Amino acid sequence: MRINSPKMNIIHKACTKASKSLIRDFGEIEKLQVSSKGPGDFVSAADKKSEKIIIEELSKAHPDYGILSEESGEINKNNTENRWIIDPIDGTSNFLNGIPQFAISVAYEEKGKVICGMIFDPIKNEMFFAEKGSGAFLNNSRIRVSNKKNLKESMLVTGGPRRSSKKRDSIFKEYNNISNIVDIPIRKFGSAALDLANVACGRFDGFWQWELSYWDIAAGLIIIEESGGFVDFLEKDEKTLAKKNIIATNSKIHEELKNALEKKY
Ligand code: IPD
Ligand code: CA
Ligand code: CA
């Protein structure tokens, strides 16, 4: 595997270690599905276990670095120079239902900019990673975004909205609008991190979603960028913890998708 830098090495180690615990726990899910208690508590324990392993591994190398992680929030908040961004399981509902579409996502940031990151799907054994200026990879192979040039023929993926979203109506209108353009029905796979990884390797031509969190997308940002794609935001918000409204494409369909999404009703 073409992992050259010390930072990427640390991330790789942390993801590999956490993935073993996730694979074991995922194997238990099927049994729990039919038990009277259901797998809810078990999954939240699996999530926390994965996070603990990742944080321990990253902190061993750099105890002073900042951390933003979904379950634990912020650690070493004062370090704004160097920070890890962690989602220990992205696609929790899939995990909970025994659906093998989830991933670990870990990114490393310097002065607020993502420098490198990894999205690891432990079940399919697909490790997507990228580092600024070094290209993007899926396991041993270099990846590139697709070459699709028009929206009509594109394979798109999205996610949400949650029932509680105040944007629900406009999100559904938007979905309807895009559905009327594309030949292939829009996909929804329930893991934003993997949606981004799959744009990066050309399986999807574009992804958009409202109201994501930074840990859902941090690693995906650099992987998309290094694979020749383009990431943009539907509504700008500079606050790190603010909800992210993302649009990520192969670059070529970007303007067309963005214009279609920005169409006002
Ligand atoms: C979720 C997934 C999902 C997206 C949700 C996220 P989680 O992350 O990325 O695809 O639609 O908005 O919260 O909760 O599984 O880590
Ligand atoms: Ca997530
Ligand atoms: Ca999560």
Side-chain angles (χ1 to χ4, degrees):
M1 204 162 298
R2 304 243 311 250
I3 293 178
N4 298 320
S5 81
K7 291 289 177 326
M8 227 32 255
N9 245 318
I10 297 165
I11 294 179
H12 178 237
K13 244 182 159 170
C15 287
T16 307
K17 210 164 171 189
S19 77
K20 293 191 177 126
S21 156
L22 282 185
I23 290 168
R24 258 196 318 273
D25 287 343
F26 188 66
E28 293 294 311
I29 292 285
E30 236 171 42
K31 295 178 213 157
L32 290 162
Q33 222 95 48
V34 290
S35 79
S36 56
K37 214 169 152 236
D41 291 348
F42 179 81
V43 170
S44 112
D47 212 354
K48 292 203 174 76
K49 223 189 300 169
S50 167
E51 184 179 72
K52 188 165 176 279
I53 295 169
I54 297 166
I55 291 180
E56 264 171 24
E57 208 55 43
L58 300 177
S59 306
K60 214 176 358 175
H62 295 287
D64 55 324
Y65 280 16
I67 291 177
L68 171 66
S69 190
E70 184 174 12
E71 307 299 324
S72 304
E74 291 187 280
I75 300 170
N76 291 338
K77 213 173 162 180
N78 293 336
N79 191 343
T80 49
E81 290 271 309
N82 315 90
R83 191 164 74 141
W84 307 105
I85 318 290
I86 307 165
D87 191 342
I89 306 180
D90 184 70
T92 327
S93 301
N94 287 338
F95 188 95
L96 179 71
N97 285 279
I99 300 167
Q101 179 74 4
F102 59 89
I104 300 164
S105 172
V106 180
Y108 169 66
E109 229 187 41
E110 271 173 14
K111 295 190 182 117
K113 287 255 172 296
V114 180
I115 302 295
C116 60
M118 176 172 280
I119 296 170
F120 184 22
D121 173 342
I123 303 301
K124 300 185 203 80
N125 195 21
E126 289 193 331
M127 199 170 259
F128 299 87
F129 59 97
E131 190 158 8
K132 202 153 192 55
S134 303
F137 293 83
L138 164 51
N139 296 338
N140 295 313
S141 310
R142 182 90 191 245
I143 49 172
R144 288 209 59 81
V145 289
S146 74
N147 211 12
K148 202 68 66 66
K149 291 190 178 58
N150 65 72
L151 194 57
K152 185 174 180 295
E153 289 168 17
S154 291
M155 168 81 97
L156 301 179
V157 61
T158 187
R162 290 175 197 281
R163 192 171 53 216
S164 57
S165 169
K166 293 198 173 65
K167 292 187 197 291
R168 257 169 78 89
D169 288 352
S170 71
I171 288 172
F172 282 125
K173 272 186 195 150
E174 198 178 74
Y175 185 89
N176 195 32
N177 179 40
I178 305 294
S179 296
N180 283 328
I181 300 172
V182 291
D183 293 337
I184 311 165
I186 299 162
R187 265 50 182 167
K188 271 194 185 183
F189 279 89
S191 162
L194 285 179
D195 292 341
L196 287 165
N198 283 323
V199 171
C201 69
R203 292 174 182 156
F204 296 133
D205 307 303
F207 166 64
W208 87 97
Q209 186 169 346
W210 290 87
E211 301 176 327
L212 286 167
S213 299
Y214 191 45
W215 46 76
D216 299 320
I217 60 168
L221 297 179
I222 187 80
I223 298 174
I224 291 272
E225 193 181 303
E226 288 295 322
S227 63
F230 190 63
V231 176
D232 204 353
F233 293 92
L234 290 156
E235 266 181 0
K236 303 253 186 275
D237 198 328
E238 300 305 325
K239 280 181 256 139
T240 313
L241 282 174
K243 289 287 174 197
K244 302 289 176 193
N245 309 306
I246 198 173
I247 164 167
T249 68
N250 66 358
S251 303
K252 293 135 205 136
I253 62 157
H254 204 87
E255 227 179 284
E256 215 187 333
L257 178 58
K258 192 160 190 195
N259 287 342
L261 288 168
E262 281 175 350
K263 189 171 160 188
K264 302 286 176 229
Y265 298 90

